[in-house]
Amino acid sequence: MYKLLALDLDGTLLNKENKISAQNISAIKQVINGNGIVVLCSARPVNAMIAVIRNTELAYLIRYFISFNGAWIYDRVEEKDLCFTPLSGRDVKVIISLLAEHQFPHHFFTRNNIISSSSHISDYTKYESELFDMEILISDPVNISQRDDIVKVSIVGSTDFIASIADKIDQKFHQQYSLSKTSNHYYEIMSQNISKGSGLHYLCQHLNINAESVVSMGDQENDISMFQFSALGIAMGNASDFVKSHADRVSLDNNQHGVAFTINQLWPL
């Protein structure tokens, strides 16, 4: 019997309106009522994840959040971090040099803010600021490199732009940092060995749950590490063929209540 269900948010639990359907909510309650644990896993910060379930029946049913692709693991009941892994000052300096050399549009994340080193704010940065309800702060690169709470850097741009830079950065920095494309418009850099899979592993150790009892669901490349850790990794119907090729199963898409479809198969009434 599976004990833990790890769910990505965007493109998985959330539909195209960024809402959780009544069918998905009912199915998640079904897991929890059967003594299962449901964990939300996202590239979003914790506060933006909590906002997604606020004013829903899940508001006080979800305890654990794996945020920033595994860099921040939070226990909402205890109101404390289980793990928080920011980039070092040295790492931030190296990344800032890379960004300046290639003039990549970007922004930095702390727990509570988005930081830009330029007053010319990208529309993609503005979108995340509005979606996550996070203020954009303007700061110069020297001050940014001296902070101890920069948890990730997002390079942003069009689908073609992100596709054109991803492989090049992977080849140069894959041994130094955790790198992931979280959507067609966002490519993220974090501390080494950070991933949703590593975050899920950490949380399962904390909860004394082994991987054989874990199911994970997602739709993007940053979800593949969860599939690799879990006993059963399930790609959404709206995932790319590449993501689907790394999953054990494929569900319906996020606008067809794919989460509920899978839960009803694995946790029948």
Side-chain angles (χ1 to χ4, degrees):
M1 183 66 181
Y2 298 113
K3 296 180 180 179
L4 186 147
L5 174 62
L7 295 174
D8 169 54
L9 285 182
D10 297 277
T12 300
L13 182 58
L14 301 180
N15 59 24
K16 62 183 179 181
E17 284 83 31
N18 285 319
K19 303 292 184 182
I20 309 174
S21 71
Q23 291 90 332
N24 283 349
I25 289 174
S26 178
I28 289 172
K29 289 170 61 182
Q30 186 174 310
V31 175
I32 294 171
N33 290 337
N35 295 317
I37 297 172
V38 177
V39 178
L40 300 185
C41 306
S42 177
R44 295 180 182 224
V46 167
N47 291 340
M49 296 174 70
I50 291 174
V52 166
I53 60 173
R54 189 176 293 131
N55 302 321
T56 76
E57 294 178 82
L58 303 180
Y60 297 101
L61 296 177
I62 306 293
R63 175 171 181 172
Y64 300 105
F65 298 82
I66 297 175
S67 166
F68 285 144
N69 286 326
W72 186 10
I73 305 172
Y74 186 75
D75 180 340
R76 190 182 183 191
V77 172
E78 296 289 336
E79 297 185 341
K80 68 178 184 180
D81 297 344
L82 298 180
C83 183
F84 183 73
T85 312
L87 288 155
S88 70
R90 177 188 174 280
D91 287 338
V92 174
K93 289 177 182 176
V94 170
I95 295 167
I96 286 174
S97 296
L98 167 74
L99 300 170
E101 178 184 354
H102 297 281
Q103 297 185 323
F104 291 151
H106 64 277
H107 53 265
F108 303 84
F109 276 97
T110 68
R111 283 184 178 88
N112 300 308
N113 298 112
I114 291 174
I115 302 177
S116 174
S117 58
S118 170
S119 58
H120 300 290
I121 308 298
S122 162
D123 287 341
Y124 298 105
T125 297
K126 292 176 183 177
Y127 173 78
E128 287 208 317
S129 170
E130 294 171 5
L131 183 66
F132 302 160
D133 191 24
M134 298 180 81
E135 182 183 3
I136 300 174
L137 305 179
I138 308 297
S139 183
D140 67 76
V142 173
N143 287 332
I144 292 172
S145 66
Q146 292 173 347
R147 297 183 67 116
D148 62 2
D149 60 348
I150 301 294
V151 67
K152 72 174 182 177
V153 184
S154 289
I155 299 174
V156 303
S158 67
T159 299
D160 289 343
F161 170 72
I162 295 299
S164 71
I165 67 165
D167 287 344
K168 296 174 184 176
I169 298 178
D170 283 348
Q171 290 171 10
K172 187 172 183 179
F173 289 109
H174 72 278
Q175 292 184 326
Q176 294 173 253
Y177 305 107
S178 291
L179 309 166
S180 63
K181 187 174 77 168
T182 56
S183 81
N184 289 333
H185 303 294
Y186 299 92
Y187 181 89
E188 300 186 341
I189 306 174
M190 296 172 298
S191 291
Q192 191 176 29
N193 299 321
I194 293 296
S195 68
K196 286 188 179 183
S198 68
L200 188 54
H201 186 192
Y202 185 99
L203 179 61
C204 285
Q205 286 186 316
H206 175 77
L207 298 174
N208 197 27
I209 293 174
N210 60 40
E212 288 74 22
S213 300
V214 177
V215 177
S216 60
M217 298 186 69
D219 72 306
Q220 291 287 341
E221 292 179 22
N222 62 326
D223 297 312
I224 292 172
S225 62
M226 288 202 301
F227 300 166
Q228 293 169 335
F229 170 76
S230 307
L232 194 60
I234 301 173
M236 298 298 291
N238 47 289
S240 69
D241 289 342
F242 177 75
V243 173
K244 289 175 182 176
S245 73
H246 286 79
D248 300 299
R249 296 189 190 179
V250 177
S251 186
L252 301 179
D253 74 32
N254 62 319
N255 294 312
Q256 295 177 307
H257 325 294
V259 168
F261 176 78
T262 292
I263 288 173
N264 290 330
Q265 288 182 320
L266 301 178
W267 283 270
L269 291 171

